[in-house]
């Protein structure tokens, strides 16, 4: 979650002589009571159209009323004087910031150590479970390998804090959150033999079924070429003596194969026709141990009027996202842009599925369910960023998780740069839940920085939000043209 923290301060407030109502003056950042750095970026908010000075130096007031400047600090007490003027009326505020000598502390590692079990244990996965590559963590959680089904029994040989260490194969470990697993009283799972394969064209998908005697963990990746999908099954021996293709003409799969890549890892290899991958879904049907892989056909028509587009306005409800210096909340900006984008798409005949159309708080699970139930053809999540100095203008960025979504994200990024914003980044392997599913091409757009005074001014302008919606719309259109 992105947030800008507002700092409490002790100041002296004075209204200097003048006529009419004194202009408002609020400090929204950069004025902590105590600081160790040699400078701070002081940010204030006044009436739009007013002028401002910090320590006697004129500073720009943006159309939002926000202003800011870098203030150098001497050791000890620093009294910073802020004046704002509106006509002949003036408001002054003095804030005291104490700069103390920085004392370097020796950090003590507080992370829980890895504790190996004397005897391995068995767990069974719950609904919503996912595997992590390692035991690391950050604000988005540990780096996810992918979600797996419930009812899968796995060997765990240790624990660290809230994680179990999973022994996927002889030479492969991963981690799982304890909250998504239950310890079971059972013998250690044995490596099993795979059974027969079938593949059939079901109209909008090609469906592969692999017969298994029990549910196994799996990990799917797309290759550097987006038209290849590899799925590793853990705890399996190859005993599949044929692949039965029940539809002579498949919709998107060119061929499939399998390979025993190590003593207990069985790889399913799927090669697609053409150069694009339009999504896939892997899992077990309810009450079944047979693995099913649904590979989505490319839509017969890529005209907008023939597509269903999923749109997500980030945050909502009690999750405001970033808050700008003047008090704009990201959740509201995101929703406004998404509604403008929806209108552009519907004007061209597209069917649009919103995860939220009002100030609702929805979980990531619910947002993903909405898109999945609607069988969206392509999806976009809209956010705005925060961080860094308020005096900087970091710019726009686009994010994706899976390699097959990179072409979509790259085209979208090029379109967003036509807003005139600087390039902040094209970010891959983004560990965010909503871009984790593989059901269709998807990306996340971080339009601009709420925390930047210059970019806040742009985001406050309805015409700029319309421009942003237009460039997201054009980015989507450009991508569809590129894969025709």
């Amino acid at each position: 979650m992105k947030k800008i923290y507002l700092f409490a301060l002790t100041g002296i407030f004075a209204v200097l002589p003048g006529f009419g109502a004194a202009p408002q003056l609020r400090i929204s950042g950069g004025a902590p009571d105590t600081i160790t750095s040699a400078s701070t970026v002081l940010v204030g908010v006044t009436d739009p159209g007013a002028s401002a000075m910090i320590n006697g130096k004129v500073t720009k007031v943006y159309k939002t009323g926000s202003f800011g400047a870098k203030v150098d600090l001497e050791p000890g007490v620093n009294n910073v004087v802020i004046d704002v003027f509106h006509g002949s009326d003036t408001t002054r505020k003095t804030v005291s910031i104490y700069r103390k000598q920085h004392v370097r502390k020796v950090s003590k590692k507080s992370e829980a150590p890895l504790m190996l079990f004397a005897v391995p244990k068995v767990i069974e996965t719950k609904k919503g479970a996912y595997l992590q590559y390692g035991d690391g963590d950050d604000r988005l959680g540990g780096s996810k390998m992918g979600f797996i089904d419930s009812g899968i029994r796995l060997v765990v040989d240790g624990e660290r804090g809230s994680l179990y260490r999973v022994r996927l194969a002889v030479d492969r470990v991963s981690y799982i959150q304890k909250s998504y697993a239950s310890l079971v009283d059972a013998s250690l799972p044995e490596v099993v033999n795979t059974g027969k394969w079938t593949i059939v064209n079901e109209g909008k998908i090609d469906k592969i079924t692999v017969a298994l005697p029990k549910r196994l963990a799996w990990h799917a990746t797309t290759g550097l070429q987006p038209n290849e999908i590899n799925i590793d099954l853990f705890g399996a021996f190859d005993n599949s003596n044929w692949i039965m293709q029940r539809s002579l003409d498949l919709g998107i799969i060119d061929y499939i194969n399998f390979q025993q890549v190590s003593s207990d890892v069985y790889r399913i290899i799927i090669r697609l026709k053409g150069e694009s991958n339009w999504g896939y879904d892997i899992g077990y049907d309810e009450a079944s141990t047979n693995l099913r892989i649904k590979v989505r056909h490319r839509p017969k028509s890529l005209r907008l009027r023939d597509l269903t587009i999923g749109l997500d306005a980030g945050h909502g409800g009690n999750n405001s996202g970033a808050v700008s210096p003047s008090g704009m909340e990201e959740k509201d900006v995101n929703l406004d842009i998404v509604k403008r984008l929806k209108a552009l798409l519907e004007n061209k005949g597209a069917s649009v599925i919103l995860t939220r159309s009002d100030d609702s708080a929805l979980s990531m699970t619910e947002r993903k369910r909405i898109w999945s139930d609607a069988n969206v053809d392509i999806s976009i999540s809209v956010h705005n960023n925060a961080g860094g100095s308020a005096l900087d203008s970091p710019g726009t960025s686009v994010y994706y998780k899976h390699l097959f979504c990179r072409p979509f994200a790259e085209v979208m990024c090029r379109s967003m740069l036509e807003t005139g914003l600087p390039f902040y980044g094209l970010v891959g392997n983004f560990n965010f839940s909503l871009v984790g599913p593989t059901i269709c091409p998807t990306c996340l757009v971080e339009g601009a920085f709420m925390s930047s005074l210059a970019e806040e001014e742009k985001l406050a302008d309805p015409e700029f939000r319309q421009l942003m919606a237009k460039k997201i719309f054009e980015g989507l259109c450009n991508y569809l043209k590129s894969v025709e």
Side-chain angles (χ1 to χ4, degrees), residues 2 139 330 380-386 393-400 408-428 430 435 443-450 455 464 468 472:
K2 304 178 288 295
R139 67 183 181 86
E330 184 197 347
I380 305 165
S381 182
V382 176
H383 288 244
N384 283 280
N385 223 328
S393 179
T396 191
S397 50
V398 180
Y399 300 69
Y400 65 95
F408 180 31
E410 182 178 352
V411 171
M412 184 64 71
C413 203
R414 293 186 186 279
S415 184
M416 291 302 294
L417 290 176
E418 294 176 5
T419 60
L421 289 166
F423 174 58
Y424 184 67
L426 174 62
V427 182
F430 187 52
V435 294
C443 68
L444 183 147
V445 175
E446 292 275 11
F449 273 69
M450 302 281 294
E455 294 184 18
F464 186 80
M468 192 168 285
I472 298 173

Side-chain angles (χ1 to χ4, degrees), residues 278 297-308 377 480 484:
W278 216 265
H297 297 177
R298 199 196 80 157
K300 290 182 179 179
S301 166
L302 294 180
R303 294 175 298 186
L304 285 175
R305 66 174 178 264
D306 298 319
L307 298 177
T308 300
D377 295 302
L480 295 174
E484 280 182 341

Side-chain angles (χ1 to χ4, degrees), residues 183-291:
L183 287 168
V184 293
D185 185 14
S187 58
L188 298 182
E190 296 181 350
V191 179
V192 300
N193 289 317
T194 62
K196 66 179 181 179
W197 289 41
T198 59
I199 178 170
V200 61
N201 182 342
E202 293 192 345
K204 292 186 177 181
I205 61 166
D206 289 343
K207 182 179 178 180
I208 302 167
T209 303
V210 181
L212 297 170
K214 67 177 183 180
R215 293 187 173 197
L216 300 177
W218 50 268
H219 177 222
T221 58
T222 48
L224 292 175
Q225 297 298 322
N227 58 348
E228 184 172 294
I229 305 168
N230 294 316
I231 305 160
D232 284 347
L233 276 176
F234 301 107
F237 289 134
D238 172 27
N239 194 46
S240 299
N241 293 319
W242 64 78
I243 298 173
M244 176 67 73
Q245 182 172 322
R246 295 191 177 277
S247 300
L248 185 57
D249 296 313
L250 297 175
I252 192 168
I253 292 177
D254 187 13
Y255 65 84
I256 54 178
N257 207 346
F258 50 80
Q259 182 181 5
Q260 192 78 43
V261 294
S262 67
S263 61
D264 54 355
V265 180
Y266 179 77
R267 179 168 296 166
I268 299 167
I269 303 165
I270 304 170
R271 185 77 176 186
L272 307 181
K273 300 174 183 177
E275 295 300 322
S276 60
N277 179 336
W278 216 265
Y280 56 91
D281 183 53
I282 305 169
Y284 297 90
D285 291 322
E286 190 154 351
S288 171
T289 61
N290 293 334
L291 184 71

Side-chain angles (χ1 to χ4, degrees), residues 309-327:
I309 314 297
L311 298 182
D312 170 65
H315 306 286
N318 58 4
N319 181 354
S320 63
V323 180
S324 78
S326 68

